[in-house]
Amino acid sequence: MSKIKTAVITGSTGGIGREIAKILALRGDNLILLNRSETKSEAQRSELLAAHPNLNIELVIADLTDTTEIANAITKINALQGRVDALYNNSGILTSEKFLSAQGYESQFAVNVLAAYDLTLGLKDKMARPTGESPGVVVLFSSSAINSQKTLNLDELANPKKVSGLMGTYAQTKLAVTTLVPVLSDRLRTDNILVRAVDPGATKTAMTTSGNSGMPKILQWLAPLLFSPADKQAAKVVDSADPSAFAGQTGLYLANRKQRKFPKPASDKAIQKQLIAMLDAALEKE
């Protein structure tokens, strides 16, 4: 396995993100942890350093629903010494309630799609390296929920009239972030940065087991019994992010450590182009 020296992890204080941080710390990677809660981030850093005192762990605090705070976070990360070798866009929101960001975007779109796109482009220069070196890796988090979606409704993506949870709004945002992979992989290829979408699989986390309104009731009951623990799913994500895995290919959609075929909407070049235009327009307003 190729060693990744410094990784940015968003949403690292719980669930899969927390377990990814543990795995990377165990193998000696330095970490940049990007979270909303400073208190939880400080506690996580103390815990990791107690077990791995030689690590360098930087904390960056930002609300990823807010593009202004994301811009500040990007500036802070770019000002740190050294380069970034991996970006795990792990932060995600699942809800059936409508919350709007400071810029007026539905919260799941703001975090699951726009923030991931913004961070990926904003850290591009920090991750770039010459051809011939081990590539940098960007991980965009997909979901098996996208298999229920026959199309990507761009008109309802940024601010839907109704928010409908796992198999609705959330699945649409995860389909959208998966749709970004072919475009971003081409855009970052000359910077020697791989881009991969990874579906970590059904996971027991606070988001899926704590009575979240975005989860169908039947899945709320079944999740503790049938979903896999976060540490198991995090290991799949880290393995999928290894730049030497899958013959070093970029532009992949991966699940359960295997390459999968992109859903039809995610392969549609017209949809890709429209989605990118929407995201660029959203960021140009800031």
Side-chain angles (χ1 to χ4, degrees):
M1 178 179 288
S2 298
K3 178 175 172 57
I4 293 174
K5 296 179 180 179
T6 300
V8 174
I9 309 170
T10 69
S12 72
T13 59
I16 290 176
R18 182 178 182 84
E19 299 302 326
I20 290 173
K22 289 180 181 179
I23 292 170
L24 300 185
L26 182 62
R27 73 185 196 188
D29 291 358
N30 295 318
L31 303 174
I32 301 170
L33 307 179
L34 176 50
N35 297 291
R36 184 174 59 180
S37 170
E38 185 171 6
T39 300
K40 291 181 180 179
S41 298
E42 291 282 6
Q44 182 183 23
R45 177 164 62 178
S46 296
E47 179 183 324
L48 290 169
L49 288 176
H52 311 284
N54 293 325
L55 292 186
N56 180 28
I57 302 178
E58 299 283 352
L59 303 182
V60 179
I61 308 304
D63 179 350
L64 294 186
T65 67
D66 189 330
T67 55
T68 300
E69 293 199 24
I70 294 171
N72 291 336
I74 289 170
T75 298
K76 290 176 183 177
I77 294 172
N78 283 331
L80 296 173
Q81 286 190 331
R83 70 186 181 193
V84 168
D85 300 290
L87 168 59
Y88 290 86
N89 286 293
N90 168 72
S91 282
I93 294 179
L94 165 62
T95 183
S96 64
E97 300 177 44
K98 189 167 185 177
F99 299 103
L100 297 182
S101 71
Q103 289 75 33
Y105 301 117
E106 191 276 324
S107 61
Q108 292 169 101
F109 167 78
V111 174
N112 302 352
V113 187
L114 187 59
Y117 180 71
D118 198 359
L119 285 166
T120 297
L121 294 184
L123 298 179
K124 175 179 72 72
D125 292 343
K126 190 73 167 173
M127 298 184 68
R129 73 263 340 267
T131 302
E133 292 189 18
S134 181
V137 182
V138 172
V139 178
L140 298 175
F141 281 67
S142 186
S143 168
S144 56
I146 69 175
N147 296 322
S148 67
Q149 306 299 296
K150 296 187 181 304
T151 187
L152 180 58
N153 187 352
L154 294 171
D155 292 335
E156 284 284 294
L157 189 62
N159 192 0
K161 296 181 182 69
K162 181 181 178 181
V163 175
S164 52
L166 182 68
M167 295 303 178
T169 307
Y170 176 82
Q172 280 284 292
T173 63
K174 288 300 183 178
L175 178 58
V177 82
T178 305
T179 301
L180 291 176
V181 171
V183 179
L184 288 176
S185 63
D186 286 343
R187 188 179 294 187
L188 302 185
R189 195 182 302 271
T190 56
D191 297 295
N192 196 18
I193 302 170
L194 309 180
V195 182
R196 294 171 180 173
V198 180
D199 169 13
T203 310
K204 284 186 280 191
T205 66
M207 188 168 73
T208 59
T209 62
S210 63
N212 186 338
S213 65
M215 287 285 289
K217 286 193 179 297
I218 185 65
L219 289 183
Q220 291 182 34
W221 297 331
L222 293 176
L225 299 174
L226 301 181
F227 287 15
S228 296
D231 59 346
K232 179 179 179 181
Q233 307 299 57
K236 294 179 184 178
V237 175
V238 172
D239 288 348
S240 297
D242 178 7
S244 68
F246 306 100
Q249 295 180 79
T250 189
L252 302 181
Y253 169 42
L254 305 167
N256 202 27
R257 298 188 177 91
K258 294 181 180 178
Q259 185 173 348
R260 307 294 187 185
K261 185 177 180 180
F262 277 91
K264 188 175 180 181
S267 302
D268 188 313
K269 292 190 180 301
I271 291 177
Q272 293 170 2
K273 184 176 180 179
Q274 292 172 50
L275 176 60
I276 292 293
M278 173 194 291
L279 298 178
D280 287 342
L283 295 178
E284 284 172 5
K285 291 179 182 179
E286 303 309 315

